[in-house]
Amino acid sequence: MTAPSTFGLSREARNLHFLLTNLVEEVPGIRSVAVVSSDGLLLLSSDPGRNAEAREPRADKPTGPRGSSADLATIVSGVGSLTIGAARLMDSGPVKHTMVAMDEGSLFVMSISDGSLLGVHGAADCDMSVVAYHMALFVGRAGHVLTPELRSELRQSLEHESTPTGSTR
C-alpha cells in the first residue's frame, strides 16, 4: 500500500486523512468510511482514488456500497437527516449515533460537529462495539478541528481530484 498523498493540505487536513486511514486499516470488519458535511457533501472517504490518498484496493478490505464513496455519503446523509428529524419529533435531544444491522453488513452513523457525520459500512460479522468505540475516538479527535475552513479545504481537494487531469474546473 502506498502512503497517502496529502501534498498541499493543511496540517489539520493531513491529520484527518491519517485518522481516517487508521480507522479503516486498524479496525477489523470496516469496509468503507465517509465523512459528510451537514449539507450532505462528501469531505473524506476511504475509497481508493478519492481524497488525496489514492491507493490500490486491498483484497481483504471490500469496498463500500457498490464501491462508491458517493453512495455511502448519500446513505449517511439520509440516515442522519432521518434520525435528526425523529429526535426532534420525539423531543429527545441531539442524535449521538445510529446503527443499522443487516444480514450482509452494518451501517454506523455518528455525529461529529456542526452537523457533520461519520459513516461506516461494516461487515456483517464486525464487532459493533469495537467499531463504535473507534468511531467515537475518531469523532473526539476530529470534532474540534472540523471547522468551516477545513470542511471547505477538504471539499475543494475532492473536487480537484475528481477532475480528469487534476486541474480545477
Side-chain angles (χ1 to χ4, degrees), residues 58-142:
R58 289 176 31 191
D60 63 333
K61 287 281 186 187
T63 58
R66 298 193 183 136
S68 169
S69 54
D71 287 346
L72 182 58
T74 300
I75 293 165
V76 168
S77 181
V79 168
S81 180
L82 179 65
T83 56
I84 289 168
R88 284 185 186 140
L89 284 173
M90 295 177 186
D91 197 24
S92 297
V95 176
K96 295 179 183 178
H97 60 270
T98 304
M99 185 190 70
V100 179
M102 300 165 277
D103 284 344
E104 300 297 320
S106 300
L107 173 67
F108 305 86
V109 179
M110 192 172 284
S111 298
I112 299 177
S113 65
D114 297 337
S116 297
L117 301 167
L118 171 63
V120 171
H121 176 214
D125 61 350
C126 71
D127 186 331
M128 294 181 195
S129 61
V130 170
V131 172
Y133 172 76
H134 284 278
M135 287 177 70
L137 290 178
F138 180 95
V139 167
R141 293 174 181 148

